[in-house]
Amino acid sequence: MKTKAAVVLGPQKPFEIVELDLDGPKAGEVLIRVEAAGLCHSDLHMQTGELAPRYPCVGGHEGAGVVEEVGPGVRKLKPGDHVVCSFIPSCGHCRYCATGRQNLCVLGASTTGALPDGTFRFHDGGTNFGGMCMLGTFSQYATVSEHSVVKVDSGIPLDVAVLVGCGVPTGWGSAVYAGDVRAGDTVVIYGIGGIGINAVQGSRYAGAKDVVVVDPVAAKRDTALELGATAAFADADEARAAIADLTRGQMADVAIVTVGASAVISAAFAAIGRGATMVVIGMGDPSKATVQLSGTLLTLQQKTVKGSLFGSVNPSYDIPRMLDLYQAGQLRLDELVTGRYSLDQINEGYRDLQDGKNIRGVIVHEH
């Protein structure tokens, strides 16, 4: 079949809208009609070349849609099911899935864009196009592994459900799981984009007493205060001084860093106290992302520094769970969508993201 898609042909090039040929599903695969796709910053890393994907590539790794067709052997999904894409697939039987760490599944977040069998489903003539994270949700239709989608309640609008495929669980889980935030804790969060705002929500859900956010954009700070933050600062030094005052010098119990800048990571390390944890989930250019921290303070104050992928969640469990929390009014999603765009407006949507106008922009596909 034919499908309209936004693709990147090489580093430092804008998204281009093209028509591609799409293969139907093979064994263990499903064809989905993508209704909505999230504009996540990770796709910009692909566009700049910082993530070094295989080009050409169909962008998009946040997606929600409807199953159109299933391949041989697919048992957990059927045509008509509503699904949310998980940018990390979960095979269910590797060492990590079997021990409750689906976010570390060996299938991983592929940078080649090929499906698990090593082949491609998007084509243009003799050229194979990969799909971002084995998905490619900036396409009207996509053929993906059944391990990359999770069935969800059909009563939830797909242009809202799409958010729980990446940004929401990554932020929420960084607090609830990776940071192990507990009732009464003081948490500081650096960077309030699509991930950081959900670290705010996760911290609030876990019972944090103080949720301090740091972001240079006033509108993002305001949104954080609306969704549960207790204090907001544009400057990391100001935030550190306020945390010292709030905690009588004990400093924060948990710091969550959603940006890849080494200076921010250093500031977060200085803002946590004895026995505290710093969770790093932001990614930057690998060639410039070296971080230097005091080994003496790490040891003498028994601080923990850890990375977290996908918020350390189990997508097959946590994606439906988060939508249950949304329906119960305990997780706010509607307020996160600050802009809706057609596929043809994708470059405009990313400019808005870079300009700080969006918490999360969403592409709404036309069929």
Side-chain angles (χ1 to χ4, degrees):
M1 65 180 296
K2 299 286 186 181
T3 185
K4 183 180 175 183
V7 305
V8 175
L9 301 178
Q12 303 298 330
K13 294 184 178 180
F15 284 101
E16 295 186 23
I17 308 301
V18 300
E19 185 177 71
L20 298 176
D21 294 308
L22 177 65
D23 296 337
K26 297 182 180 180
E29 298 172 2
V30 297
L31 170 67
I32 60 173
R33 183 178 76 246
V34 184
E35 294 291 341
L39 298 179
C40 181
H41 207 279
S42 295
D43 289 279
L44 283 180
H45 291 312
M46 172 194 72
Q47 190 182 26
T48 61
E50 290 177 349
L51 287 181
R54 173 196 174 276
Y55 299 106
C57 185
V58 179
H61 64 282
E62 275 190 352
V66 180
V67 175
E68 294 274 290
E69 183 182 348
V70 301
V74 175
R75 294 182 176 86
K76 67 177 184 179
L77 296 165
K78 64 182 185 303
D81 284 346
H82 285 212
V83 293
V84 168
C85 297
S86 172
F87 86 96
I88 302 257
S90 51
C91 70
H93 57 261
C94 72
R95 172 188 179 186
Y96 303 99
C97 288
T99 53
R101 295 175 289 172
Q102 292 179 353
N103 66 307
L104 298 177
C105 178
V106 295
L107 293 180
S110 168
T111 57
T112 68
L115 291 192
D117 68 358
T119 62
F120 300 88
R121 301 295 171 268
F122 294 110
H123 313 280
D124 182 20
T127 302
N128 294 322
F129 283 67
M132 178 72 165
C133 296
M134 293 188 280
L135 293 169
T137 59
F138 294 164
S139 173
Q140 295 169 306
Y141 296 86
T143 297
V144 303
S145 168
E146 66 174 323
H147 302 314
S148 293
V149 292
V150 178
K151 183 179 177 180
V152 299
D153 187 340
S154 61
I156 300 173
L158 289 170
D159 62 345
V160 174
V162 64
L163 301 180
V164 299
C166 175
V168 172
T170 297
W172 192 88
S174 70
V176 175
Y177 293 137
D180 192 23
V181 174
R182 301 182 182 186
D185 278 355
T186 294
V187 181
V188 56
I189 301 162
Y190 298 82
I192 306 300
I195 293 174
I197 193 64
N198 293 296
V200 171
Q201 296 209 76
S203 298
R204 182 199 62 197
Y205 176 84
K209 177 175 70 73
D210 302 305
V211 181
V212 179
V213 300
V214 185
D215 196 289
V217 179
K220 293 183 178 182
R221 298 195 300 271
D222 291 343
T223 300
L225 291 169
E226 291 172 7
L227 295 187
T230 56
F233 299 91
D235 180 79
D237 289 337
E238 290 181 7
R240 184 173 181 272
I243 291 167
D245 185 55
L246 282 170
T247 62
R248 300 179 180 86
Q250 297 300 304
M251 306 308 292
D253 300 289
V254 179
I256 298 171
V257 185
T258 75
V259 295
S262 58
V264 178
I265 295 173
S266 297
F269 187 76
I272 60 174
R274 297 174 183 272
T277 298
M278 177 173 71
V279 180
V280 180
I281 51 181
M283 295 188 298
D285 185 340
S287 66
K288 303 175 183 177
T290 301
V291 179
Q292 292 184 330
L293 301 173
S294 169
T296 300
L297 288 178
L298 186 68
T299 300
L300 292 181
Q301 296 190 2
Q302 198 173 305
K303 297 185 180 185
T304 297
V305 178
K306 65 193 299 186
S308 176
L309 177 65
F310 205 1
S312 304
V313 304
N314 287 297
S316 63
Y317 169 73
D318 283 303
I319 285 176
R321 179 192 183 196
M322 289 180 188
L323 291 176
D324 286 344
L325 291 173
Y326 164 70
Q327 290 180 306
Q330 297 182 51
L331 180 65
R332 293 166 69 178
L333 298 179
D334 299 276
E335 294 86 352
L336 306 183
V337 181
T338 46
R340 287 178 170 82
Y341 305 86
S342 68
L343 187 61
D344 293 330
Q345 296 174 310
I346 187 167
N347 289 307
E348 176 187 339
Y350 270 114
R351 282 194 297 271
D352 287 346
L353 174 63
Q354 290 177 298
D355 291 342
K357 297 179 181 178
N358 277 341
I359 296 293
R360 196 49 123 218
V362 171
I363 296 291
V364 179
H365 284 289
E366 300 174 353
H367 296 89

